[in-house]
Structures are given as C-alpha cells and as structure tokens.
C-alpha cells in the first residue's frame, strides 16, 4: 500500500525508465494505490507530472512510434496509440514520416522474413497476410512484393 508521496516517487521511478501515456500511468498507479484516499490523489499527481514535463502523451506517442517503426505498419502503430489514449498526440511531422516511410519499412520487414519473391499465388497470399497482420497498408505491401519480384 502506497501513500500519496510514495505514489509520486513510484511514478517518477517508472518515468525514469521509459515514457508512459497518461492513461497507462493512471492504471499503473491505481494498481499500486489500494486505499481510496490515496487513489483520489492520482488525478492531481498526474496533473503535477504533466505540468512539470515528466509525463507527456506527445513524447510517449513519438517514443512508441520510433520503437515500433522497424517492425510494424502505420495501422498497427495507430491502433496501439488509440489503446493508450494517445492517438492525437503524434506530431504532424512524425505522422508524415510514418506515411512516407511505410513502403520502405514494409520492404525491410518482408526482406527479413522472406527475402525471396513468392513462387506462386499461395505464397504471395501468405506473404501479403503476414504484412497485413503487421499493420502495413495494401499500397505498401504491393510495393514491397513488387520489389521482391523485380
């Protein structure tokens, strides 16, 4: 059971390790704060963390996008941002970078997983499904598979 000052220390320890969304931090703090009066202090603590710049949905969104870019497509990244209630937090520059690099990222993921062009329609469908499950758009998938064939 944590006291309100103990919650602040715990939140700062977590934030020292990585960025969190406001929703994610609130859920983690709620699990630690078992007493109702301590749980009531969580919204004020979250506000303080945001005011001091320790907690930022924009920074969290940028961090998550950077971590996921090498393995996942835009729709998967956007889904994760929605799950963390940080979907609108990604800057326009970061969104543009994701959109511009999606075909290249799909090519890289395809090359790591398969490396050889599909031999038949069944294999092409399998490779397409794999990239779709990773969240890549059909346009990016078509470009990735076209590179593999040519």
């Amino acid at each position: 059971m944590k006291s309100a000052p103990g919650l602040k220390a715990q939140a700062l320890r977590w934030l020292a390790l990585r960025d969190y969304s406001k929703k994610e931090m609130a859920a983690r703090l709620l699990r630690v704060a078992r007493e109702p009066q301590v749980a009531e202090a969580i919204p004020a603590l979250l506000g303080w963390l945001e005011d001091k710049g320790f907690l930022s949905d924009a920074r969290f969104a940028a961090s998550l996008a950077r971590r996921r870019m090498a393995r996942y497509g835009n729709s998967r990244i956007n889904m994760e941002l929605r799950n963390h209630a940080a979907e609108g937090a990604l800057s326009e520059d970061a969104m543009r970078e994701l959109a511009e690099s999606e075909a290249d990222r799909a090519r890289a993921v395809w090359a790591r997983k398969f490396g050889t062009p599909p031999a038949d329609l069944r294999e092409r469908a399998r490779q397409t499904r794999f990239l779709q499950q990773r969240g890549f758009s059909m346009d990016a998938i078509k470009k990735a598979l076209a590179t593999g064939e040519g």
Side-chain angles (χ1 to χ4, degrees), residues 14-15 27 34 67 77 82 104 118 131-132 140 142 149:
W14 287 332
L15 289 167
R34 304 264 186 237
R67 288 191 320 259
I77 293 170
R82 269 193 308 277
D104 293 333
L131 291 172
Q132 282 177 323
K142 286 177 186 174
E149 292 170 352

Side-chain angles (χ1 to χ4, degrees), residues 30-135:
L30 258 169
R31 283 194 302 267
V32 173
R34 304 264 186 237
E35 299 171 17
Q37 63 271 28
V38 175
E40 291 172 2
I42 290 175
L45 174 59
L46 293 172
W48 181 84
L49 290 169
E50 281 184 313
D51 290 344
K52 296 296 182 182
F54 295 121
L55 186 65
S56 167
D57 277 347
R59 194 173 53 239
F60 168 78
S63 171
L64 184 131
R66 272 192 312 277
R67 288 191 320 259
R68 301 291 192 253
M69 277 178 74
R71 297 179 61 203
Y72 299 111
N74 294 354
S75 64
R76 171 79 179 258
I77 293 170
N78 286 328
M79 180 194 65
E80 286 192 41
L81 289 172
R82 269 193 308 277
N83 289 343
H84 289 284
E87 69 181 304
L90 204 54
S91 72
E92 287 182 30
D93 291 339
M95 292 291 286
R96 190 172 28 261
E97 180 187 342
L98 278 176
E100 291 171 355
S101 69
E102 187 177 31
D104 293 333
R105 292 182 289 123
R107 247 182 249 114
V109 169
W110 173 85
R112 274 195 309 271
K113 176 71 175 179
F114 302 105
T116 59
D120 56 11
L121 286 178
R122 184 177 179 162
E123 179 62 18
R124 183 178 181 83
R126 187 174 82 83
Q127 292 181 11
T128 299
R129 278 193 310 275
F130 172 78
L131 291 172
Q132 282 177 323
Q133 289 170 347
R134 290 292 180 108

